[in-house]
């Protein structure tokens, strides 16, 4: 294990033949490739294929051809296969996590390695849950009828994923998708394809060991607006799983038409701190929510709403907590926060802070990129007070290491601010009253609410996703709930009086 990103050895599987089509690792048809640059060191880590429509056609054709045999594989056998993927990822976890830390920027010990273990867990959970997918038998008014239901895979599933969790987000689709018998064509984010390509080697090894036809799982790298766009509109793709920005999700839905979609989109998670909360715990949790993965988490704490009665004390505590986050090289065990992943995210963070300052908010800690680092992406933990509803920090998703403090006077006002942005992914509330918990749980318009822990709390097997009708999307990722979203229910009615 090395302790500096510059010393990480990039495995030789990562290069211009990193496309996986029909069980073979290949180049883009055109031979084009693009560099993957480390946000930590600025070095080019590898050059990977830059695909186009022709590569998508090949991958989709391979998945389509593999599907009849793969869907008829017995479910217990498929479960064994998916469990084997989990085992192989666990064996490679340290190597893949090192690559993830240098390509994404997240700390190796506290985030990258745990992400790989959760990636493996998602395959394991899918393998365990798929063999217990019970479906109803429905009593009919016609006494001669017996009606049974079955969950069936869709066919070819497209999976398109972002750069903030390069392997765990793909695994939330791939584990369930493969376990139920879909064949997959996936496209990882162009900023962070390397750790996913290494994970794909584990998947393909398991597929080879089980002797399934080539093409059950395919991976293509390339620009979202070219490869992703063509893939989701492809007539032979039946199901689309997408995690990314809300605006991209809207474009994809319009291109996918009536195909089944799972859309895991942006968030603007508030942490609400009531006057009866344990303030030390609330400040610690808010810091985790704001600074984990440098704030680049869909359920990050994007806003801290604090009851005016405890504002001054809470602000002192959050500044203290934020000051303890150590910005640095993700491979250094002392580091708790790495650089931002990319320039657009840094620019957006600066834009939101500038807007807030111009409208009267005060920066109490951090607030600007640090100079003298290997790249220009090192942004320290930042606390800003006096944030109001009209500021971009409140209305939009920032996705940077910022703790914006907004003050409220009544619970009704807190709910109004929390619900007022159109996003509704995960929210958190700190209170010592169980009555308060249920009061808020009933009123917050969101897919998930956490009480007395960070907005960044989740476990792999709980249902996670946007609250109905919000900009955060639809469908559920997590454990057995995803199995429902990657299958459709087939109803079979039998007239037993007319059988032998
Ligand atoms: P993004 O939307 O820019 O890109 C996501 C993926 O979509 C990438 O692979 C990209 O290449 C591809 N893409 C881009 N344009 C496309 C198009 N026109 N057609 C098809 N594919 C296209 O998102 P990002 O910046 O990579 O990720 C950050 C966003 O993801 C944030 O908004 C974050 O909140 C969200 N996110 C949501 C969840 C969740 O579970 N709800 C989890 C993590 C991240």
């Amino acid at each position: 294990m090395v302790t500096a990103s510059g010393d990480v050895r990039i495995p030789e599987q990562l290069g211009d033949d990193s496309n996986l089509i029909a069980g073979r690792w290949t180049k883009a048809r055109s031979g084009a490739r693009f560099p993957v640059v480390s946000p930590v060191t600025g070095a080019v880590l590898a050059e990977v294929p830059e695909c186009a429509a022709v590569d998508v056609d090949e991958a989709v054709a391979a998945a389509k051809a593999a599907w009849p045999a793969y869907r008829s594989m017995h479910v217990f056998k498929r479960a064994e296969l998916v469990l084997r993927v989990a085992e192989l990822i666990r064996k490679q976890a340290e190597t893949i996590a090192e690559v993830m830390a240098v390509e994404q920027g997240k700390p190796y010990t506290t985030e990258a390695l745990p992400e790989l273990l959760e990636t493996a867990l998602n395959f394991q959970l899918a393998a365990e849950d798929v063999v217990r997918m019970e479906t109803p038998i429905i009593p009919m008014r016609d006494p001669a009828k017996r009606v049974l239901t079955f969950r069936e895979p869709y066919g070819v599933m497209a999976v398109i994923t972002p750069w903030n969790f390069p392997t765990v987000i793909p695994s939330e689709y791939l584990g369930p998708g493969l376990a139920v018998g879909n064949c997959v064509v996936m496209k990882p984010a162009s900023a962070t394809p390397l750790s996913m390509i290494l994970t794909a080697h584990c998947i393909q090894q398991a597929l080879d060991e089980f002797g399934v036809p080539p093409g059950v799982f395919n991976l293509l790298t390339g620009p979202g607006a070219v490869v992703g766009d063509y893939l989701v509109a492809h007539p032979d793709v039946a199901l689309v799983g997408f995690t990314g920005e809300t605006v991209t999700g809207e474009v994809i839905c319009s291109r996918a038409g009536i195909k089944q979609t799972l859309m895991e989109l942006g968030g603007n998670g508030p942490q609400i701190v009531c006057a009866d909360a344990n303030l030390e715990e609330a400040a610690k949790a808010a810091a985790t929510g704001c600074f984990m993965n440098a704030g680049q988490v869909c359920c990050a704490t994007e806003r801290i709403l604090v009851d005016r009665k405890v504002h001054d004390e809470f602000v002192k505590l959050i500044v203290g907590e934020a000051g303890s986050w150590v910005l640095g090289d993700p491979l250094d065990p002392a580091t708790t926060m790495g650089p931002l992943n990319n320039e657009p995210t840094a620019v957006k963070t600066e834009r939101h802070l500038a807007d807030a300052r111009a409208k009267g908010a005060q920066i109490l800690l951090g607030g600007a990129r640090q100079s003298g680092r290997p790249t220009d992406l090192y942004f320290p933990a930042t606390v800003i007070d006096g944030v109001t509803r009209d500021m971009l920090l409140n209305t939009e998703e920032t996705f940077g290491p910022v703790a914006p403090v907004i003050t409220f006077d009544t619970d009704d006002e807190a709910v109004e601010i929390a619900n007022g942005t159109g996003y509704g992914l995960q929210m958190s509330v700190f209170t010592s009253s169980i009555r308060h918990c249920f009061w808020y749980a009933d009123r917050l318009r969101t897919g998930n609410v956490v009480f007395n822990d960070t907005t960044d709390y989740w476990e792999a097997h709980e249902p996670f996703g946007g609250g109905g009708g919000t900009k955060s999307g639809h469908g559920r990722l997590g454990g057995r709930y995803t199995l429902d979203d990657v299958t459709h229910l087939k109803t079979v009615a039998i007239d037993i009086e007319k059988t032998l």
Side-chain angles (χ1 to χ4, degrees):
M1 165 73 204
V2 297
T3 54
S5 289
D7 297 335
V8 170
R9 194 187 62 80
I10 299 301
E12 61 202 16
Q13 293 107 316
L14 299 171
D16 64 352
D17 54 358
S18 293
N19 269 354
L20 177 60
I21 300 180
R24 288 183 39 243
W25 294 95
T26 63
K27 300 181 193 313
R29 262 293 183 84
S30 68
R33 52 200 192 179
F34 65 93
V36 180
V37 179
S38 168
V40 183
T41 62
V44 173
L45 301 172
E47 295 204 338
V48 296
E50 183 173 335
C51 296
V54 62
D55 304 288
V56 178
D57 281 333
E58 269 186 46
V60 172
K64 188 180 174 188
W67 191 50
Y70 186 59
R71 68 171 298 196
S72 51
M73 186 174 183
H74 192 263
V75 62
F76 275 78
K77 202 78 197 159
R78 261 192 268 118
E80 259 181 63
L81 188 166
V82 172
L83 197 57
R84 175 70 178 142
V85 174
E87 202 175 280
L88 291 168
I89 294 172
R90 284 192 184 109
K91 283 193 183 152
Q92 293 299 317
E94 293 182 2
T95 307
I96 303 176
E98 272 188 3
V99 171
M100 181 187 288
V102 288
E103 75 167 338
Q104 202 282 337
K106 62 180 66 183
Y108 173 85
T109 311
T110 52
E111 297 190 33
L113 189 56
E115 175 165 347
L116 260 300
L117 298 179
E118 190 177 336
T119 301
L121 180 60
N122 281 330
F123 283 94
Q124 180 190 326
L125 290 169
E128 291 168 350
D129 287 332
V130 75
V131 294
R132 299 188 202 106
M133 275 187 92
E134 293 153 4
T135 49
I137 295 172
I138 305 167
M140 293 287 117
R141 280 188 296 189
D142 179 346
K145 296 293 190 299
R146 296 292 181 272
V147 168
L148 305 95
T149 53
F150 298 87
R151 285 250 158 226
E152 292 221 332
Y154 278 90
V156 181
M157 173 179 181
V159 175
I160 299 180
T161 51
W163 47 262
N164 58 342
F165 289 89
T167 64
V168 90
I169 289 174
S171 70
E172 291 168 342
Y173 296 101
L174 301 178
L178 291 171
V180 301
N182 290 301
C183 290
V184 176
V185 178
M186 88 155 289
K187 192 206 86 64
S190 297
T192 56
L194 304 182
S195 43
M196 186 55 224
I197 292 167
L198 294 175
T199 305
H201 276 272
C202 299
I203 299 172
Q204 188 55 42
Q205 184 181 330
L207 292 168
D208 288 342
E209 286 175 8
F210 278 71
V212 300
V216 168
F217 175 68
N218 306 271
L219 180 146
L220 302 172
T221 48
V226 178
V227 176
D229 181 75
Y230 189 75
L231 177 61
V232 299
H234 199 291
D236 290 330
V237 167
L239 162 68
V240 177
F242 170 76
T243 297
E245 287 196 38
T246 301
V247 285
T248 317
E250 280 171 348
V251 173
I252 289 178
C253 281
S254 71
R255 297 283 288 143
I258 57 170
K259 288 170 186 166
Q260 163 81 347
T261 56
L262 272 101
M263 290 282 139
E264 297 294 332
L265 310 178
N268 194 358
Q271 176 181 308
I272 299 171
V273 182
C274 299
D276 63 1
N278 176 327
L279 296 184
E280 282 86 12
E281 292 290 333
K284 214 183 278 291
T288 301
C290 295
F291 309 130
M292 186 178 120
N293 199 10
Q296 302 161 121
V297 183
C298 56
C299 55
T301 302
E302 291 275 333
R303 308 170 285 156
I304 310 172
L305 315 187
V306 184
D307 190 310
R308 191 178 303 280
K309 295 190 267 308
V310 293
H311 167 272
D312 294 355
E313 194 183 344
F314 179 82
V315 166
K316 235 181 272 158
L317 290 166
I318 185 70
V319 170
E321 286 292 337
S324 71
W325 281 68
V326 181
L327 180 64
D329 185 325
L331 267 292
D332 179 344
T335 296
T336 52
M337 191 170 80
L340 290 169
N341 176 260
N342 54 65
E343 183 61 19
T345 301
V347 169
K348 190 178 183 193
T349 303
E350 287 174 330
R351 186 162 59 83
H352 286 194
L353 286 170
D355 167 76
R357 289 181 79 175
K359 290 172 180 161
Q362 313 89 45
I363 288 181
L364 304 181
L365 189 76
R369 306 184 201 220
Q370 283 187 352
S371 56
R373 299 282 194 170
T375 71
D376 208 16
L377 295 168
Y378 288 77
F379 208 106
T382 294
V383 180
I384 179 164
D385 193 16
V387 173
T388 49
R389 289 195 213 192
D390 56 327
M391 297 176 186
L392 295 172
L393 283 173
N394 177 55
T395 56
E396 290 186 13
E397 181 186 48
T398 301
F399 231 52
V402 181
V405 178
I406 302 177
T407 310
F408 68 85
D409 288 300
T410 64
D411 290 326
D412 283 320
E413 190 187 355
V415 168
E416 204 181 297
I417 300 170
N419 289 346
T421 70
Y423 291 100
L425 190 58
Q426 177 139 292
M427 303 187 181
S428 107
V429 184
F430 270 76
T431 171
S432 54
S433 146
I434 191 81
R435 191 192 63 78
H436 235 148
C437 288
F438 282 96
W439 189 91
Y440 273 102
D442 286 345
R443 288 163 179 79
L444 291 174
R445 191 172 186 226
T446 183
N448 297 61
V449 197
V450 178
F451 289 93
N452 298 325
D453 206 337
T454 168
T455 58
D456 272 344
Y457 169 78
W458 72 83
E459 294 199 28
H461 55 291
E462 66 171 334
F464 181 85
T470 68
K471 292 196 281 188
S472 295
H474 55 256
R476 286 294 175 269
L477 289 187
R480 67 186 178 83
Y481 302 93
T482 313
L483 297 174
D484 287 346
D485 285 341
V486 296
T487 51
H488 62 92
L489 200 61
K490 179 184 269 182
T491 305
V492 175
I494 309 167
D495 188 322
I496 55 166
E497 297 300 336
K498 294 176 188 149
T499 61
L500 292 178

